Amino acid sequence: MCEKESLSPRKEAPTAPRSTSWPRAMRLYSRPLSVEYHANLLSCSSLLSLVYVAACIILPYLVTYGLGGMWIREQPFRSQPRTIFRYEAVVEAYGVSSSTAIASWGWSTSSTLNDRLGMSLRPMLLSHWEEDDERDGKADRLQFVLRVPLDPDAGERLLSISVVLGVKVAFEGEFDLLLDSALLMTASSALPGRVWNQTADLVLVSKDSQRSRALGRRNACPSPVEPLQEPVLPSGAPATPASILGAYAACNDTAVLVPQPALWTPGVSDSFEATLTVRIPPLLLSRRPGVAETLKLAFVQYVALFIPIAVLLTCLHGALFTTGVLAARVHHPIKQHRW
């Protein structure tokens, strides 16, 4: 016998209320609450707080000074000078000939000096050009080609030669320095030479550090000196490379050449050819900074150590009060008001 189905409606399970996406409350403003610790002016807690403030100021200075380098006295930098040939040259050569055991020849760009050479005068040909790789207006190399005529029929053989070149060297940027220098290149051999190839680097030799531009320009020499300032010596003899270079002995700044090994090609010819290359790289120099720059660098180092030291001392100072090591009166931030 089949059972009859109930005609009463089915009861559905209650559904959970839908949550709205809008927050019921929102934060409009917030501020921190701080707990204050008070103590008498003449107390151990106040004394230690003064020590804390003094340590935050003095301790970074002591640490910076102890590590060294706080007060910068010299600062290294690189600078490439502007070098210009002054069209001044003095050549002194020695050799042999059939008529004399030691023959001397000389030539210069000064007519006064050439007149004093007399029979030793040997007219020569000097070519010069500049090479600038970066096109920045500063020569990277000075090229010179010197040709000395010889008479092979008379048995002339060249054994030694010295060349003095007058150049103008100017440093700009980090400091200002102007030099009228004489550059020396020399080579000799027991075999008579036919070709001489020489390469040298320009360097700056200074007795003291360079000064910052804020301190003004200093004179390289006590008195201005030029390579051919005195082509004739007080004795009436013509100037030589030794006398020219000796005039720079009292100078504080001089430009000199550091030569590489010379390539001396022996042989007999109607002329001696010398190819000279003066390279002008960026020089590693040092200068003395000004007062403002020294204080700026010292302040940067002081602040770099002040921040971590002040944070550590602040944490230690607060821990002394929160742990009760130092006695103080605690003031709660919420005050009870009477109505």
Side-chain angles (χ1 to χ4, degrees):
M1 189 171 181
C2 297
E3 296 180 358
K4 294 183 180 180
E5 296 181 358
S6 178
L7 300 178
S8 61
R10 296 181 180 178
K11 295 182 179 180
E12 298 180 356
T15 59
R18 298 180 179 179
S19 60
T20 176
S21 59
W22 296 96
R24 296 182 179 180
M26 59 183 301
R27 184 174 61 185
L28 299 179
Y29 174 72
S30 64
R31 64 175 181 175
L33 296 178
S34 60
V35 179
E36 297 180 356
Y37 295 82
H38 291 213
N40 294 334
L41 183 61
L42 299 178
S43 62
C44 181
S45 300
S46 300
L47 177 62
L48 289 179
S49 296
L50 292 177
V51 173
Y52 153 72
V53 175
C56 289
I57 298 175
I58 300 175
L59 191 58
Y61 172 79
L62 297 178
V63 175
T64 305
Y65 186 83
L67 293 176
M70 180 177 183
W71 303 109
I72 303 298
R73 293 178 175 84
E74 289 187 2
Q75 190 174 18
F77 66 97
R78 288 188 177 272
S79 177
Q80 183 180 13
R82 188 185 305 274
T83 307
I84 302 174
F85 180 50
R86 294 173 53 90
Y87 298 97
E88 296 178 344
V90 177
V91 182
E92 186 179 55
Y94 294 94
V96 296
S97 64
S98 57
S99 60
T100 178
I102 299 178
S104 62
W105 306 295
W107 173 80
S108 72
T109 55
S110 172
S111 58
T112 304
L113 178 57
N114 291 337
D115 294 338
R116 289 289 180 174
L117 290 175
M119 299 299 296
S120 299
L121 177 62
R122 179 63 56 93
M124 304 177 189
L125 178 62
L126 178 63
S127 303
H128 156 71
W129 67 92
E130 299 179 356
E131 294 181 356
D132 185 4
D133 298 335
E134 291 82 10
R135 300 295 188 270
D136 57 354
K138 297 180 180 180
D140 297 308
R141 286 177 299 278
L142 299 180
Q143 299 287 357
F144 300 91
V145 176
L146 176 67
R147 289 181 176 86
V148 182
L150 299 174
D151 188 0
D153 298 334
E156 293 182 347
R157 308 288 188 269
L158 193 144
L159 302 176
S160 174
I161 185 172
S162 300
V163 181
V164 175
L165 303 171
V167 297
K168 182 178 181 180
V169 182
F171 289 90
E172 302 171 350
E174 295 289 341
F175 68 99
D176 293 334
L177 183 63
L178 183 61
L179 303 174
D180 290 324
S181 300
L183 306 180
L184 171 65
M185 286 189 180
T186 181
S188 61
S189 175
L191 299 176
R194 181 173 56 89
V195 177
W196 171 36
N197 292 278
Q198 182 72 68
T199 301
D201 295 332
L202 180 71
V203 297
L204 177 66
V205 178
S206 300
K207 297 179 181 178
D208 300 323
S209 319
Q210 302 299 328
R211 299 193 302 181
S212 174
R213 299 186 65 179
L215 301 177
R217 175 187 293 182
R218 73 177 182 190
N219 295 327
C221 299
S223 59
V225 179
E226 298 181 3
L228 294 179
Q229 184 177 5
E230 295 182 359
V232 179
L233 300 179
S235 61
T240 60
S243 64
I244 293 175
L245 297 178
Y248 293 90
C251 294
N252 183 65
D253 303 291
T254 54
V256 299
L257 293 179
V258 178
Q260 296 182 359
L263 298 177
W264 185 275
T265 303
V268 178
S269 178
D270 58 352
S271 65
F272 175 84
E273 181 175 323
T275 302
L276 311 177
T277 302
V278 178
R279 298 190 302 187
I280 312 169
L283 305 179
L284 181 60
L285 307 172
S286 63
R287 68 176 177 87
R288 187 171 63 239
V291 177
E293 188 176 358
T294 302
L295 294 177
K296 180 191 69 173
L297 296 175
F299 178 75
V300 171
Q301 299 180 62
Y302 175 83
V303 172
L305 290 177
F306 172 81
I307 295 176
I309 291 177
V311 171
L312 293 177
L313 293 179
T314 301
C315 296
L316 178 61
H317 180 257
L320 295 178
F321 288 100
T322 56
T323 57
V325 176
L326 296 178
R329 296 186 299 272
V330 181
H331 289 241
H332 199 274
I334 301 178
K335 300 180 67 174
Q336 301 295 332
H337 298 277
R338 294 182 180 179
W339 302 95

